[in-house]
Amino acid sequence: MAIASATTNRVLNSNLASKIMSAAEAAALINSGDQIGMSGFTGSGYPKAVPLELAHRIAEATFRGQKFQVSVFTGASTGPELDGALAMAGGIHLRLPYQSDPETRKRINAGEMEYMDVHLGHVAQFVEYGFLGKLNVALIEVTAILEDGRVVPSSSIGNNRTWIDEADRIILEVNSWQPTALEGMHDVYKLKAPPNREPIPILHTGQRIGSPYLTVPPEKVVAVVLTDAPDRNTPFKAPDEGSKRIAGHILEFLSWEVKKGRMPENLLPLQSGVGNIANAVLFGLDEAPFEGLTSYTEVIQDGMVRLLKSGKLTCASATAFSLSPGMMDEVNANMPFYHDKIVLRPQEISNHPEVIRRLGVIAMNAMIEADIYGNVNSTHVMGSRIQNGIGGSGDFARNGYLSIFMAPSIAQKGTISTIVPMVSHVDHTEHDVQVLVTENGLADLRGLSPRQRAHLIIEKCANPDYKGALLDYLNRAERLSYGKHTPHLLTESLGWHNRYLRNGNMRIREEF
Ligand code: COA
């Protein structure tokens, strides 16, 4: 049963059509204290009208001196109409999992909003196991509702299946901006709870194991809201010189792995984080000699679409699109071409350890800093200020065939070294980090002891401005440390961060 075109009515089920109302009426069905599971992942497929109206209600309540707050669970980051508006209104009590909205970040770091940073692959089961309390409302953007009540998901699928199953009340936003050709692209699969959980039967990246539709119990649907609004769709920034150099090191390394016979010629399924460096790697792959590539990842971004278009990539599995407006136009205009090459799965499947381990994914993620032993901080600036969140980096790094972390060797105009004696917050321990890359070089840490790793990381990855100071620290630690297995001088190990907080520079005063 197909939805005919973007212009026809998107709500074909008469029962659910009778529940169509305005966004303001739907927002009035949400109570203070509710826990709401919202759709949305990396700026795509998030509800765009009801959160704005909810923010108005919250602002009015605040004006009257009443406290009105809700807890917001999503797939990952959303857009200004959701996170931005609700944060601005002071309307979020607890937010999880990943966010990247400036206002939300500001409120969390001011201590005004609770934020729980959860592995993206864990969120659905945490809610299903009851770890996070009752989910009151599911607020989900969809592409269309079919005659028999089944629902065509939107440009991301995230945790929507779980939100729909677990919530008492469901509000659907039907967004006619979303292309009808999304129908058939999704693969919704439900895991049973332990001890009855079964193996997930995905043996290759493009395999479909579930249904293209979400099933929604009609009796739980309290509102259907019609919208016509674009996803966040951040404009694309061409990769800068540093990102291109990082990409170059990674591609050379992958070629070497193939030569060594540790990987097939078409590599293994690629997972690529978001951002400038990740896109540079994908762009680099377009010119590299690899053919028949596959991807098992979280988001389909510009670089990946380019690879699909050129034929280098044969299929991509993810949970969401995250495209620039230009690339979105390209995909929309050629949906039949991309339709069979892209599978969008619930994020508990796209990020599932079992599948990531079985397929042997190559995990490539950006980081904030790494220490000389290979521990990685992906989330907290100076150990306390959240940037975005761990996202899926832990799901992929811990379980992939290879885990690669990458960053420029300096940040904030050189006042910060991203290679430090000790990370100020740990997201990925030294046990889960196999390769570190900066524009200066690549350190392959496999098979090395901590002290060997430290010398290699400083030699290959550190910025020349900080190399001497890092070596000096390591040499003294090797002589004076309490233990010589992972030498540290505890009075100094976080001194670089302290110095930055005091002087605005990690270098000691005489050096700048
Ligand atoms: N210390 C202090 N600040 C640092 C820093 C460091 N070591 N490293 C980076 N920063 C700052 C940058 O200066 C920049 O600040 P600005 O916004 O004031 O300019 C900001 O952090 C973002 O850095 P940028 O270099 O633009 O990186 P990015 O946009 O590629 O993001 C991460 C890098 C690590 C923040 C991002 O990749 C992330 O959130 N990762 C965690 C989640 C993840 O891996 N998701 C993918 C899994 S599928």
Side-chain angles (χ1 to χ4, degrees), residues 86-400:
L86 287 172
M88 191 76 84
I92 303 182
H93 166 62
L94 168 68
R95 176 77 176 85
L96 64 96
Y98 183 88
Q99 53 72 42
S100 63
D101 175 73
E103 186 62 29
T104 307
R105 186 183 295 138
K106 196 172 97 192
R107 302 260 173 169
I108 296 168
N109 285 317
E112 295 164 6
M113 189 193 292
E114 303 299 329
Y115 172 60
M116 210 179 124
D117 193 14
V118 193
H119 293 300
L120 295 185
H122 277 172
V123 181
Q125 68 180 30
F126 276 18
V127 171
E128 285 167 3
Y129 295 169
F131 295 173
L132 303 176
K134 180 72 201 145
L135 196 69
N136 306 103
V137 181
L139 172 51
I140 311 290
E141 180 182 276
V142 302
T143 301
I145 301 173
L146 302 183
E147 231 170 289
D148 59 9
R150 284 177 307 166
V151 160
V152 180
S154 174
S155 48
S156 69
I157 184 150
N159 291 312
N160 295 353
R161 203 267 313 141
T162 303
W163 300 162
I164 287 168
D165 285 357
E166 295 295 317
D168 292 333
R169 316 191 292 285
I170 300 169
I171 299 173
L172 299 174
E173 280 197 10
V174 184
N175 186 357
S176 51
W177 177 86
Q178 296 289 359
T180 52
L182 282 169
E183 187 179 5
M185 227 178 221
H186 307 86
D187 189 57
V188 183
Y189 181 81
K190 182 171 177 165
L191 294 168
K192 291 181 188 157
N196 302 313
R197 187 160 286 185
E198 291 163 357
I200 302 170
I202 296 178
L203 299 179
H204 59 85
T205 52
Q207 193 175 339
R208 289 172 185 277
I209 57 169
S211 159
Y213 304 106
L214 286 163
T215 308
V216 180
E219 66 284 2
K220 290 209 288 184
V221 178
V222 293
V224 175
V225 175
L226 304 181
T227 64
D228 183 4
D231 279 334
R232 187 183 74 199
N233 290 347
T234 317
F236 177 70
K237 270 200 318 203
D240 58 26
E241 210 34 56
S243 302
K244 283 190 199 158
R245 282 172 60 186
I246 291 173
H249 296 312
I250 293 176
L251 296 175
E252 194 186 332
F253 169 75
L254 294 177
S255 303
W256 182 242
E257 289 297 292
V258 172
K259 270 200 202 107
K260 283 259 187 182
R262 288 197 281 245
M263 238 185 246
E265 284 191 0
N266 66 339
L267 304 180
L268 286 163
L270 303 164
Q271 177 263 332
S272 163
V274 284
N276 203 358
I277 303 177
N279 252 321
V281 175
L282 296 175
F283 271 63
L285 279 167
D286 214 14
E287 278 128 43
F290 308 112
E291 303 288 338
L293 301 170
T294 59
S295 171
Y296 197 81
T297 191
E298 248 178 38
V299 283
I300 308 282
Q301 48 197 319
D302 281 24
M304 219 154 255
V305 174
R306 267 175 65 129
L307 287 171
L308 283 169
K309 198 174 169 190
S310 70
K312 292 257 180 185
L313 187 70
T314 56
C315 63
S317 163
T319 191
F321 282 104
S322 179
L323 300 175
S324 65
M327 203 50 103
M328 194 71 225
D329 291 346
E330 152 67 30
V331 172
N332 285 346
N334 299 294
M335 242 343 162
F337 172 79
Y338 293 108
H339 210 267
D340 302 333
K341 298 177 179 64
I342 294 175
V343 188
L344 296 182
R345 309 180 190 278
Q347 72 192 62
E348 65 182 331
I349 306 293
S350 65
N351 288 35
H352 202 286
E354 175 193 336
V355 185
I356 294 166
R357 182 72 67 94
R358 178 183 301 129
L359 298 180
V361 169
I362 302 172
M364 297 179 282
N365 290 293
M367 63 184 181
I368 284 183
E369 61 181 5
D371 67 28
I372 53 176
Y373 295 111
N375 299 288
V376 163
N377 170 10
S378 293
T379 55
H380 285 77
V381 171
M382 300 300 139
S384 60
R385 192 181 286 256
I386 188 85
Q387 182 67 16
N388 302 322
I390 193 166
S393 56
D395 297 321
F396 287 95
R398 174 80 183 88
N399 301 295

